[in-house]
Amino acid sequence: MEASFKSTLTDKRQRYVQFLEQFAPLIEGEKNEISVLANTSAALKEAFGFFWVGFYLVHEGELHLGPFQGSVACYRIKKGRGVCGTAWAEARTQVVPDVDQFPGHIACSSLSRSEIVVPMIANGEVRGVLDIDSDQLATFDETDREYLEKVVDLLVKTLYKPA
């Protein structure tokens, strides 16, 4: 299977709509968490050119680095620490226009300037987070929040729905 997620569309909302149309069949029926998250990271990076995109998964009381695309990253994040740990603790999306202004920000890369983190919630429990960084300030807005939450919702329904 070869799929290209590159888009010539310039409108962000339209690009997300197109992405979701292509993304749904990519993960449909797949149950291997690491495989699905790896392809999700690659597809999002290809489609939007994000600086860093990947997942942290809850394991033994911490977030552990999962599949990602970009430069090397922190291995573990404690609950409530940094943007990812806050998204986990609060079970809600975090949109950070300037990471240097976020209390307790964890600088895995000094080039990261803004960030969005969307928790993956299944059966009332955060299973992990989708973390996306930009090397530009104020990259992420309500459109990103809306559509990345839809991406995560699709992931959760595919990977974690009760058997």
Side-chain angles (χ1 to χ4, degrees), residues 7-81:
S7 175
T8 57
L9 297 172
T10 56
D11 179 78
K12 186 189 290 191
R13 187 171 296 276
Q14 289 177 345
R15 288 176 69 199
Y16 274 116
V17 168
Q18 182 181 54
F19 178 85
L20 283 167
E21 288 171 355
Q22 292 178 286
F23 179 66
L26 175 70
I27 67 168
E28 184 178 9
E30 290 296 331
K31 293 298 176 200
N32 183 290
E33 180 181 48
I34 298 302
S35 297
V36 170
L37 299 181
N39 264 343
T40 302
S41 298
L44 283 166
K45 177 112 169 122
E46 182 179 358
F48 297 97
F50 295 128
F51 174 69
W52 195 95
V53 56
F55 294 88
Y56 281 90
L57 301 171
V58 176
H59 182 71
E60 297 178 351
E62 293 181 306
L63 289 173
H64 285 217
L65 180 63
F68 71 93
Q69 296 279 313
S71 56
V72 297
C74 304
Y75 283 108
R76 291 176 188 81
I77 299 173
K78 294 191 181 308
K79 192 171 195 174
R81 204 143 170 256

Side-chain angles (χ1 to χ4, degrees), residues 95-130:
V95 178
V96 181
D98 181 350
V99 296
D100 291 333
Q101 301 303 312
F102 190 89
H105 174 253
I106 301 167
C108 293
S109 169
S110 61
L111 299 177
S112 178
R113 304 297 310 278
S114 60
E115 187 171 4
I116 186 168
V117 179
V118 182
M120 300 187 307
I121 303 170
N123 304 316
E125 177 184 349
V126 177
R127 303 289 297 265
V129 298
L130 166 61

